[in-house]
Amino acid sequence: MTKKYDVIVIGGGLAGLAATILLSRAQLSVLLVEKNNYPFHKVCGEYISNETLPFLNYLGVNPFALGAVALEEFELTAPQTQPLLLSLPLGGFGLSRYVLDSALALKAKEAGAEILTQTQVKSLTENSRGAICHTTQGDFEARYLLATFGKRSNLDTVLDRNEYQKKANYIGVKYHIRYPKQPFNRISLHNFENGYCGISRIENDSYCLCYLSHKKNLAHHKKLDLMEREILAQNPFLADIFQNATFLYDHPLVIHQVSFAAKNLEQPQLLFAGDAAGMIAPLCGNGMSMALLGGGMAAGHLVAHLQGRISAAQMVSDYKAEWRKTFALRLWAGRTIQHFFGDLRLSRGLISFFRYQPFLAKQLIKLTHGNVPTRKIY
């Protein structure tokens, strides 16, 4: 007999965990399906804007008690030009996904959710009561599904969402390192040909080093280490990091076919949140915040519908409107700004311009971030 739930959440990243906690606290039966087993690492810049602090506290997580480090400065570099240093308008903090996701998963269990790890979702089917989620651990039925499966999943193809993959021209690579030359309170963004690399402090005296590169760099050099030596090291800051840092992984984490194209927010019996709903360019440093807040937003609308306060059509309409009001400008700004990065001539010109107009640089940063919410969006 197929076990039934009010909501099945597909994907146990930040958006899925935030939604699971809120849905469970609303006394709904929730199953979270995650392909990995906590704790685990993910390709991610691991910088979180301070706009999420009230929400994380509401979820019961204090990131600084987990070892998070406050980040207050922003550095931008490119080969053959002096770096630009600015204060971050809102500020943020660094904390690894390994630590944060595990803490949120614990809160989800405490709230009463069931979590099924090391489980793949193979397909989804609709029925008269909602939908059935077919997994490697069996079939599960729900009144509604929430898809928070991240940047790329086999479900994109199953759900016929693969049209945007035509523009998936990037690869993401992440390391954890030790590099005492990097100031504790600074997040740096180092440009190189057809890409950029961020570095910032996380817990345990470690740093997250994460870069995005156009796939043609790897196609030309075949191996990551060759690409790093020949392309990334043209930026002297990156050359020093790769030469002098202590790398804490045996191998880097890599994700292919990263896309920043617009995505649908819903299908029948299914809402999307987190990177599955829309992914901001990593140079903006705001993807984790968007995932957390977006998961909370989706949960709020699902609770209103499943408790009988609004219709399904109203839920979808309200969710789309609020998501776009909150995130659409950020996504547009991120896609626009990304055109200046990875092009060395443009990135050098941008740094030179902002050196004399730092106010405009800070305004551009604000475009890709929200404010600390004055009201709940979850």
Side-chain angles (χ1 to χ4, degrees):
M1 184 175 179
T2 304
K3 192 168 183 179
K4 299 177 176 62
Y5 299 86
D6 290 313
V7 182
I8 295 175
V9 179
I10 305 169
L14 296 178
L17 288 164
T20 297
I21 293 168
L22 298 181
L23 292 165
S24 300
R25 286 181 182 175
Q27 305 303 308
L28 297 172
S29 58
V30 184
L31 174 67
L32 173 65
V33 181
E34 165 56 44
K35 66 180 180 180
N36 295 298
N37 194 35
Y38 298 103
F40 60 91
H41 293 286
K42 298 189 75 168
V43 176
C44 179
E46 299 182 331
Y47 163 85
I48 312 175
S49 167
N50 279 341
E51 69 177 304
T52 61
L53 280 174
F55 184 40
L56 281 170
N57 291 334
Y58 182 78
L59 295 176
V61 172
N62 176 1
F64 295 99
L66 299 173
V69 179
L71 299 169
E72 301 160 339
E73 292 182 350
F74 172 65
E75 180 184 41
L76 180 62
T77 79
Q80 301 173 2
T81 190
Q82 291 298 309
L84 175 70
L85 188 63
L86 301 166
S87 61
L88 281 171
L90 180 61
F93 55 93
L95 185 66
S96 73
R97 296 293 300 274
Y98 188 90
V99 170
L100 180 56
D101 289 33
S102 297
L104 289 169
L106 180 60
K107 293 297 177 183
K109 290 180 181 177
E110 291 174 354
E114 292 185 43
I115 298 181
L116 195 60
T117 58
Q118 295 183 301
T119 303
Q120 291 271 5
V121 176
K122 299 185 295 183
S123 63
L124 307 169
T125 56
E126 296 177 57
N127 64 17
S128 59
R129 298 175 297 277
I132 297 177
C133 184
H134 306 278
T135 81
T136 51
Q137 300 295 324
D139 296 344
F140 304 92
E141 185 177 328
R143 295 166 65 189
Y144 233 90
L145 306 175
L146 177 61
T148 61
F149 46 68
K151 302 173 182 66
R152 177 174 169 79
S153 168
N154 65 306
L155 284 179
D156 288 319
T157 301
V158 171
L159 295 170
D160 196 25
R161 301 182 85 221
N162 59 341
E163 69 278 356
Y164 71 89
Q165 297 294 352
K166 297 175 183 177
K167 298 182 179 180
N169 293 323
Y170 293 91
I171 61 169
V173 181
K174 188 184 88 168
Y175 299 92
H176 279 174
I177 64 174
R178 290 207 169 92
Y179 185 65
K181 293 184 181 181
Q182 178 76 11
F184 289 179
N185 66 338
R186 181 181 299 174
I187 180 168
S188 299
L189 190 65
H190 302 302
N191 281 272
F192 58 88
E193 186 179 357
N194 299 314
Y196 47 86
C197 179
I199 177 173
S200 58
R201 178 76 179 269
I202 54 172
E203 72 279 356
N204 297 329
D205 297 322
S206 300
Y207 290 82
C208 176
L209 182 74
C210 191
Y211 67 83
L212 189 80
S213 171
H214 197 284
K215 64 183 182 181
K216 61 186 176 184
N217 281 346
L218 184 59
H220 179 70
H221 292 280
K222 306 301 180 185
K223 294 182 179 181
L224 283 178
D225 58 344
L226 291 178
M227 182 181 77
E228 290 163 355
R229 289 199 299 269
E230 297 295 327
I231 300 294
L232 277 71
Q234 292 176 12
N235 184 315
F237 292 90
L238 290 175
D240 191 82
I241 290 171
F242 280 98
Q243 182 176 350
N244 295 310
T246 299
F247 285 74
L248 304 180
Y249 295 163
D250 291 333
H251 305 284
L253 296 181
V254 182
I255 184 170
H256 293 269
Q257 296 184 299
V258 179
S259 170
F260 305 102
K263 304 174 185 179
N264 293 327
L265 292 176
E266 53 86 25
Q267 289 189 7
Q269 303 304 129
L270 178 65
L271 291 185
F272 296 93
D275 286 346
M279 183 178 170
I280 195 166
L283 63 92
C284 302
N286 203 34
M288 292 175 72
S289 296
M290 283 183 55
L292 284 163
L293 297 174
M297 189 184 299
H301 292 288
L302 277 166
V303 168
H305 168 56
L306 294 173
Q307 290 182 344
R309 289 183 274 126
I310 59 174
S311 67
Q314 189 66 52
M315 172 189 68
V316 170
S317 176
D318 290 351
Y319 174 57
K320 283 183 174 180
E322 189 160 19
W323 194 95
R324 287 169 178 156
K325 180 180 178 181
T326 307
F327 300 129
L329 178 60
R330 305 185 195 194
L331 291 169
W332 173 84
R335 287 193 294 267
T336 302
I337 295 167
Q338 181 155 290
H339 291 306
F340 289 87
F341 290 79
D343 183 310
L344 296 184
R345 180 180 61 84
L346 289 177
S347 59
R348 285 194 290 261
L350 196 66
I351 291 172
S352 298
F353 176 76
F354 284 148
R355 200 181 316 282
Y356 298 101
Q357 298 289 341
F359 172 77
L360 293 179
K362 292 181 180 180
Q363 291 302 111
L364 201 60
I365 293 171
K366 288 182 178 180
L367 272 181
T368 64
H369 289 66
N371 300 307
V372 175
T374 56
R375 65 180 183 85
K376 291 182 180 179
I377 63 168
Y378 41 86

